[in-house]
């Protein structure tokens, strides 16, 4: 081979290996541990691009960052209930449905009642999480009911419990434990929910929405208010990463009610690369891609052929049984009503400022 041919071959090899540094970039702003690495890699290879993932731990923190002008994101993954606020404030752009044929083809309509924007005007549903209680099985005292929010006031868990650092999740748990709607706008009910959470807070070490999963796994804490996906990822383990299944960890969805929260994919109004954003949304609605993604994420995506393709052992862990699902309540928007938002903000300030177990975070 002549030198020039050699160099051309080397250049071709570099291109094929994805080593060009002038590749287009897709910036995604999402929750932690929420997209399978294989899915990211598959998308990069199919589109000759690079994907950069940045994470947030609550809708409020995501919103604050976007408001402060910290964008450069193409895709943002707010919870469904938070989409109307982002749309109202012009932070996300209307969806061009002509660019995402897989969505119309593969969307599983049985999820329609759980989302806020069933016409996909501003967002396309990504995956659903259920909020419950992740726990270390051997630390639950005999007779204690871990399928009830009241476990948070059991003195056996003093300093060993954490709450999500999330206003709607925490106040919602208080509301549901009292038999009220998760989406209550009633000041008296919200007040009672605060009192309930403050009772639990005597045991609570900190508010945290990301590290609790490894803390329960390592016994640093024993009870974590948390997301089904996080807990199931730990319980099922990750063979490839060398993480064995954890039979000693459980996840319970309280009988008084639990949160059903869809997270969505929205295209940022200032998206540097909207074409790649649409390509990604369409890609994750492919049945085979969705299957791989769900078996990593451990939460259902509303992608009918993906759900149909799940391996049986995973389907049982990912798709809720109807008798369990009916105890859940769908998180709905209250944030777009300024008076109700103020009520929740005040309640949250009181929760954060009062009491807590030793070294409880404020
Ligand atoms: C974190 C998942 C968060 C989902 N891994 C919030 N609905």
């Amino acid at each position: 081979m002549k030198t020039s041919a050699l160099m051309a071959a080397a250049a071709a090899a570099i291109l094929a290996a994805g080593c060009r540094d002038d590749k287009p970039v897709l910036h995604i702003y999402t929750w932690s541990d929420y997209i399978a690495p294989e899915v990211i890699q598959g998308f990069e290879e199919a589109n000759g691009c690079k994907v950069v993932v940045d994470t947030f731990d609550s809708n409020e923190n995501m919103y604050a960052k976007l408001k402060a002008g910290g964008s450069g994101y193409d895709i943002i993954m707010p919870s469904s209930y938070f989409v109307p606020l982002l749309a109202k404030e012009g932070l996300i752009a209307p969806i061009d449905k002509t660019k995402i044929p897989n969505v119309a083809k593969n969307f599983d309509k049985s999820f329609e009642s759980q989302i806020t924007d069933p016409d996909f005007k501003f967002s396309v549903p990504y995956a659903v999480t259920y909020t419950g209680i992740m726990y270390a099985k051997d630390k639950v005292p005999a007779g204690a009911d871990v399928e009830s929010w009241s476990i948070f006031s059991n003195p056996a868990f003093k300093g060993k419990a954490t709450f999500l650092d999330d206003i709607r999740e925490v106040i919602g748990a208080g509301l549901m434990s009292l038999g009220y709607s998760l989406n209550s706008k009633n000041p008296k009910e919200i007040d009672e929910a605060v009192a309930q959470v403050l009772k639990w807070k005597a045991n609570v070490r900190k508010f945290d929405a990301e590290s609790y999963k490894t803390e329960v796994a390592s016994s640093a804490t024993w009870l974590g208010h948390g997301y089904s996906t996080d807990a199931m990822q730990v319980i099922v383990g990750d063979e490839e990463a060398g993480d064995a299944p954890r039979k000693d960890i459980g996840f319970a969805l309280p009988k008084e009610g639990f949160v059903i929260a869809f997270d969505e994919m929205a295209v940022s109004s200032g998206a540097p690369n909207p074409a790649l954003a649409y390509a990604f949304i369409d890609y994750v609605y492919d049945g085979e891609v969705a299957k791989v993604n769900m078996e990593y994420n451990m939460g259902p995506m509303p992608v009918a052929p993906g759900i149909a393709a799940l391996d049986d052992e995973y389907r049982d862990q990912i798709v809720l049984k109807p008798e369990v699902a009916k105890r859940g309540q769908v998180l709905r928007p209250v944030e777009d009503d300024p008076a109700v938002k103020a009520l929740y903000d005040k309640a949250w300030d009181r929760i954060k400022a009062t009491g807590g177990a030793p070294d409880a975070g404020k």
Side-chain angles (χ1 to χ4, degrees), residues 31-34 79 129 169 209 213 227 229-230 233 261-263:
W31 306 83
S32 60
D33 302 330
Y34 218 31
S79 300
T129 56
E169 292 284 0
K213 63 194 276 190
Y227 300 114
T229 46
D230 284 341
Q233 285 167 22
F262 248 99
D263 298 303

Side-chain angles (χ1 to χ4, degrees), residues 223-291:
L223 209 56
H225 175 217
Y227 300 114
S228 51
T229 46
D230 284 341
M232 294 313 295
Q233 285 167 22
V234 171
I235 292 168
V236 168
D238 181 345
E239 231 177 81
E240 274 162 40
D243 295 331
R246 294 290 302 267
K247 292 203 164 61
D248 56 327
I249 307 285
F251 182 69
L253 292 170
K255 57 188 174 206
E256 301 93 349
F258 61 88
V259 172
I260 297 179
F262 248 99
D263 298 303
E264 305 251 355
M265 295 177 283
V267 178
S268 164
S269 47
N273 205 332
L276 268 188
Y278 282 113
F280 183 83
I281 295 173
D282 206 52
Y283 184 75
V284 297
Y285 263 75
D286 172 86
E288 194 49 36
V289 173
K291 166 191 149 71

Side-chain angles (χ1 to χ4, degrees), residues 134 136 139 160 211-222 234 246 248-249:
M134 182 177 175
K139 303 296 184 196
K160 286 290 191 181
S211 48
Y212 73 91
K213 63 194 276 190
T214 42
E215 288 171 359
V216 177
S218 71
S219 273
T221 57
W222 301 340
V234 171
R246 294 290 302 267
D248 56 327
I249 307 285

